[in-house]
Amino acid sequence: MSGRSCLTANDWICAEYVRSRGQELTDATVQHVWITVVSVVIGLLIAFPLALLARGADGRRSRFAGPVLGLTTVLYTVPSLAMFSLLLPVFGLSAAVVVTGLVLYSLTVLVRNILAGLEAVPAEAREAALGMGYGRGRLLWEVELPLALPALLAGVRIATVSTVALTTVGAIVGYGGLGTLIVDGLDSLFKAQVLTASVICVLLAVAADLLLLGVQRALTPWTRAPKRRKPRIRTGSALVRTTRVAKAG
């Protein structure tokens, strides 16, 4: 019995499964990453103008803020299975169902964070830029958006990690990336497949968060607290000066 492989024994941890199903795991991971990236990028492209619409031209919340924030919040409360089912008649069994659902879910976080970042821009900075002859467009891209980057990128990080998790639900339509392997493994009680796909999914979320954190730190160096230098105690020079004073006395 000692010669049985971990596949035959249906162990949770099985290196043989990783070796024999390497291509399957790679394909599922690539699909998972592709769906996540496309969903977040499209969500960001939609969320940015919505946030501008909610904020208004004068830097304050417009009359559209309530409807925009309310609609994105309602969309986020729809259960994922129900969301994908509602989109099926429109897109059919395709990756577009999953991507569209994930885009709608990401709007809640992205719109609110972009809006919060823009609202946090000091009024003095806007007034100074306008006084220097900046137009509304130049003010947005060269002053407001750079100052709003910390909140914006924080929203992108949250949206990306949540999208990595929600992509697995796409397995119900056959486009769930690693989620498809997890569901198939649960149906067949294939322990190694369930655990391996789940671990890779968690690692993807952690890697994405760390990568975006690095991008955030690189693009917003002013948000990092400066390192305090410890005062140097020059005992040698102090001793010399003390000795000279003593001799002079």
Side-chain angles (χ1 to χ4, degrees):
M1 297 298 292
S2 59
R4 288 197 311 166
S5 68
C6 56
L7 284 176
T8 305
N10 194 24
D11 294 333
W12 284 103
I13 301 176
C14 184
E16 186 177 347
Y17 166 76
V18 178
R19 288 194 300 268
S20 61
R21 304 290 182 88
Q23 188 60 49
E24 184 180 37
L25 289 170
T26 301
D27 293 341
T29 303
V30 170
Q31 185 186 71
H32 205 108
V33 172
W34 174 81
I35 291 175
T36 299
V37 172
V38 171
S39 301
V40 174
V41 171
I42 296 176
L44 188 59
L45 293 176
I46 297 175
F48 188 69
L50 287 177
L52 293 180
L53 180 64
R55 185 196 61 159
D58 58 353
R60 299 179 181 179
R61 293 197 177 189
S62 68
R63 64 179 184 274
F64 299 105
V68 169
L69 296 177
L71 177 60
T72 55
T73 301
V74 169
L75 289 174
Y76 196 79
T77 61
V78 179
S80 54
L81 290 177
M83 175 71 79
F84 293 158
S85 300
L86 291 173
L87 294 172
L88 275 176
V90 180
F91 298 101
L93 288 172
S94 65
V97 172
V98 182
V99 172
T100 304
L102 296 176
V103 168
L104 295 177
Y105 283 131
S106 68
L107 293 180
T108 302
V109 175
L110 293 175
V111 170
R112 289 181 179 275
N113 277 70
I114 296 173
L115 181 59
L118 293 174
E119 290 180 335
V121 176
E124 296 81 4
R126 293 194 183 95
E127 294 172 359
L130 292 174
M132 295 173 62
Y134 279 51
R136 291 295 179 183
R138 189 180 178 191
L139 172 65
L140 172 65
W141 292 104
E142 296 186 15
V143 178
E144 294 178 322
L145 189 57
L147 293 177
L149 270 181
L152 189 154
L153 293 176
V156 172
R157 286 174 57 197
I158 297 172
T160 301
V161 172
S162 63
T163 301
V164 170
L166 287 172
T167 298
T168 57
V169 185
I172 63 174
V173 294
Y175 291 92
L178 294 165
T180 303
L181 295 182
I182 295 173
V183 171
D184 291 344
L186 289 173
D187 291 340
S188 60
L189 298 179
F190 195 172
K191 297 178 181 179
Q193 180 166 304
V194 173
L195 181 62
T196 304
S198 300
V199 169
I200 295 176
C201 189
V202 172
L203 292 177
L204 279 181
V206 173
D209 187 54
L210 292 177
L211 176 62
L212 290 173
L213 178 60
V215 172
Q216 179 178 343
R217 289 175 62 85
L219 294 179
T220 58
W222 63 88
T223 60
R224 298 197 295 270
K227 294 182 179 179
R228 295 182 179 179
R229 292 185 176 181
K230 294 182 178 180
R232 294 181 179 180
I233 302 176
R234 299 180 179 179
T235 55
S237 58
L239 179 62
V240 171
R241 287 196 298 268
T242 304
T243 303
R244 289 176 178 175
V245 172
K247 289 182 177 179

